[in-house]
């Protein structure tokens, strides 16, 4: 499953003291997204921090990748159960449950069978019937309902950004920008370009701490013309309401999940939400108009 594209452009650079590594400390890929870490500090400290960050990202891949058959998520989807899941895996499950409740079910990782059926032109009614977060059972481990499978593509990149940023903060870094598909800032200000997949740069956001994520339903289409962001309540039959949605929040995981769900919600519904940690929402409609809530 291809990770949905993001359209967030860094429009800032750091000034580092002599002997420091600055600007793009590391570039690569993680969880299917282009990734970068920007920070400054003494060279040895930066190099050690980046090595630790890469180890963190490898752990995230081992937990949440849909492309690795031996990842914890792939094993859960293949067998319908996961015994003694890692604490980080359960943390994402908890975040998914909170996002599902906050968005009236629009955020639902159990859409994976429907996504696969659309991508492979399979049995859509059967796949849609398997959707339902309420059938994911937790106890000593995790159990899925019959035929269910999960995708964390609407939250894992944000969670990875948070984990890397937290690791940098623990090492004493006070100013850094982590971009693992979603952006998490330490310090700032960082100027972030807000882009729509069809219309280019529309504006800027300024982050001082916190995070930003953007979802663009029209950035990727499945066979048959369905957007890659699927409405779990309609079996994907209802198209997303927005061209793109950018969300600022205290954490990248929260921004990631909400930007996905808000693509499927009306303006008034989004404006009425009172979610702890949610800072700002920017909506781009079909005409390219940008609205900030």
């Amino acid at each position: 499953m291809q990770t949905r594209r993001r359209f967030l452009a860094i429009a800032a650079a750091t000034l580092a003291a002599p002997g420091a590594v600055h600007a793009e400390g590391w570039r690569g890929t993680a969880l299917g997204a282009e990734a970068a870490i920007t920070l400054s500090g003494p060279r040895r400290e930066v190099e050690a921090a980046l090595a630790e960050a890469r180890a963190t990202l490898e752990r995230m891949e081992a937990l949440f990748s849909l492309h690795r058959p031996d990842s914890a998520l792939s094993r859960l989807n293949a067998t319908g159960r996961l015994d003694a899941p890692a604490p980080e895996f359960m943390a994402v499950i908890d975040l998914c449950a909170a996002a599902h409740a906050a968005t009236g079910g629009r955020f639902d990782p159990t859409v994976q069978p429907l996504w696969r059926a659309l991508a492979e032109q399979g049995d859509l009614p059967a796949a849609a019937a398997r959707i339902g977060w309420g059938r994911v059972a937790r106890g000593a481990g995790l159990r899925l309902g019959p035929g269910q499978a999960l995708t964390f593509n609407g939250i894992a990149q944000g969670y990875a950004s948070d984990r890397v940023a937290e690791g940098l903060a623990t090492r004493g870094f006070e100013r850094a920008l982590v971009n693992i598909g979603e952006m998490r800032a330490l310090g700032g200000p960082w100027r972030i370009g807000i882009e729509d997949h069809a219309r280019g740069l529309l504006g800027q956001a300024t982050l001082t701490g916190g995070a930003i994520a953007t979802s663009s339903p029209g950035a990727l289409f499945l066979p048959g013309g369905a957007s890659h962001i699927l409405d779990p309540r309609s079996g994907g039959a209802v198209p997303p309401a927005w061209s793109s949605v950018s969300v600022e929040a205290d954490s990248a995981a929260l921004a990631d999940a909400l930007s996905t769900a808000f693509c499927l919600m009306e303006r008034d519904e989004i404006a009425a939400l009172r979610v702890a940690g949610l800072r700002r929402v920017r909506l781009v409609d079909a005409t390219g108009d940008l609205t900030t809530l």
Side-chain angles (χ1 to χ4, degrees), residues 119-235:
E120 299 175 354
Q121 298 180 302
D123 187 338
L124 298 184
R130 295 167 183 156
I131 296 173
W133 181 253
R135 279 176 266 168
V136 178
R138 55 182 299 175
L142 282 171
R143 302 291 184 274
L144 302 181
Q148 284 194 311
L150 305 184
T151 173
F152 292 146
N153 279 7
I155 198 167
Q157 291 176 354
Y159 181 75
S161 296
D162 289 333
R163 294 299 304 225
V164 170
E166 289 159 7
L168 295 175
T170 298
R171 282 183 166 270
F173 289 92
E174 297 180 348
R175 192 169 193 271
L177 187 66
V178 179
N179 175 14
I180 315 299
E182 322 300 348
M183 292 187 182
R184 170 72 183 271
L186 298 178
W190 299 93
R191 292 187 300 278
I192 312 297
I194 304 299
E195 295 190 26
D196 181 74
H197 71 282
R199 296 168 181 84
L201 185 67
L202 297 176
Q204 285 191 344
T206 301
L207 285 184
T208 301
I212 188 168
T214 293
S215 292
S216 296
L220 177 65
F221 289 97
L222 302 174
S227 168
H228 65 294
I229 296 179
L230 302 173
D231 189 335
R233 302 167 308 158
S234 68

Side-chain angles (χ1 to χ4, degrees), residues 193-282:
I194 304 299
E195 295 190 26
D196 181 74
H197 71 282
R199 296 168 181 84
L201 185 67
L202 297 176
Q204 285 191 344
T206 301
L207 285 184
T208 301
I212 188 168
T214 293
S215 292
S216 296
L220 177 65
F221 289 97
L222 302 174
S227 168
H228 65 294
I229 296 179
L230 302 173
D231 189 335
R233 302 167 308 158
S234 68
V238 177
W242 305 100
S243 179
S244 60
V245 177
S246 296
V247 173
E248 292 178 45
D250 290 347
S251 75
L254 178 61
D256 194 1
L258 292 182
S259 69
T260 302
F262 287 174
C263 289
L264 305 168
M265 298 172 66
E266 298 297 329
R267 185 193 312 269
D268 291 347
E269 293 179 289
I270 298 169
L273 284 184
R274 297 293 179 264
V275 178
L278 174 61
R279 297 183 179 186
R280 190 175 290 107
V281 181
R282 292 176 175 86

